Amino acid sequence: MIAGWVQGDPAGHRWILEYADPQSWTALFSSTRWGFVALDGQTPIGFADVELDQATRTAYFTYYVAPNWRGQGYSRPLLDAISGYLREQTDADKLQGSVEPQNVASSRALVAAGFNPIATDIDGLTSYVLKLDR
């Protein structure tokens, strides 16, 4: 399913190609790296990959909403679920991710979820951070 989403999505394919083979992705899961599947009822609509850097207590994430479900408000609940999990299950104090500047919808979803833009990285992506206040 994930492979089909990624392969058929030119916009996502560029950055999410490593997730096209879920077996190789899930092999990376550990006590500090998790994969989440986003559901609408019983229907998978996206996923997230979250990795905690224990030294900095920063969790880095990638999230993806499948093309057929974009623009319907799924990013915000997915981001809220990730931050809620981290608050409850880890000692992370920040959640950080990056977005292409032209991905306005994702940037808006991050800001709506409480993230703040902090920098532009070497790939030209805008990094956003959320402090995980408890």
Side-chain angles (χ1 to χ4, degrees), residues 49-51 59-63 79 82 95-98 110 115:
D49 179 23
V50 181
E51 185 169 17
Y60 296 92
F61 74 97
T62 298
Y63 79 103
L79 293 165
I82 294 167
L95 177 58
Q96 185 173 329
S98 299
L110 288 166
F115 286 77

Side-chain angles (χ1 to χ4, degrees), residues 24-43:
S24 64
W25 172 47
T26 57
L28 301 173
F29 295 163
S30 68
S31 63
T32 59
R33 186 170 181 177
W34 312 274
F36 300 91
V37 175
L39 301 171
D40 180 1
Q42 296 297 313
T43 304

Side-chain angles (χ1 to χ4, degrees), residues 1-96:
M1 174 186 60
I2 291 173
W5 290 340
V6 173
Q7 294 298 333
D9 180 13
H13 189 266
R14 186 169 132 206
W15 296 105
I16 310 292
L17 184 58
E18 69 184 279
Y19 301 97
D21 176 11
Q23 268 80 29
S24 64
W25 172 47
T26 57
L28 301 173
F29 295 163
S30 68
S31 63
T32 59
R33 186 170 181 177
W34 312 274
F36 300 91
V37 175
L39 301 171
D40 180 1
Q42 296 297 313
T43 304
I45 56 94
F47 66 88
D49 179 23
V50 181
E51 185 169 17
L52 175 61
D53 179 334
Q54 292 178 307
T56 64
R57 295 178 55 195
T58 301
Y60 296 92
F61 74 97
T62 298
Y63 79 103
Y64 180 86
V65 176
N68 291 342
W69 290 276
R70 291 185 188 145
Q72 299 179 43
Y74 289 110
S75 294
R76 173 73 188 270
L78 178 56
L79 293 165
D80 289 345
I82 294 167
S83 61
Y85 176 86
L86 291 168
R87 282 184 183 102
E88 294 171 15
Q89 302 295 323
T90 75
D91 67 347
D93 60 10
K94 290 183 285 190
L95 177 58
Q96 185 173 329

Side-chain angles (χ1 to χ4, degrees), residues 97-115:
S98 299
V99 177
E100 290 182 312
Q102 64 269 29
N103 189 344
V104 175
S106 189
S107 295
R108 286 183 182 157
L110 288 166
V111 170
F115 286 77

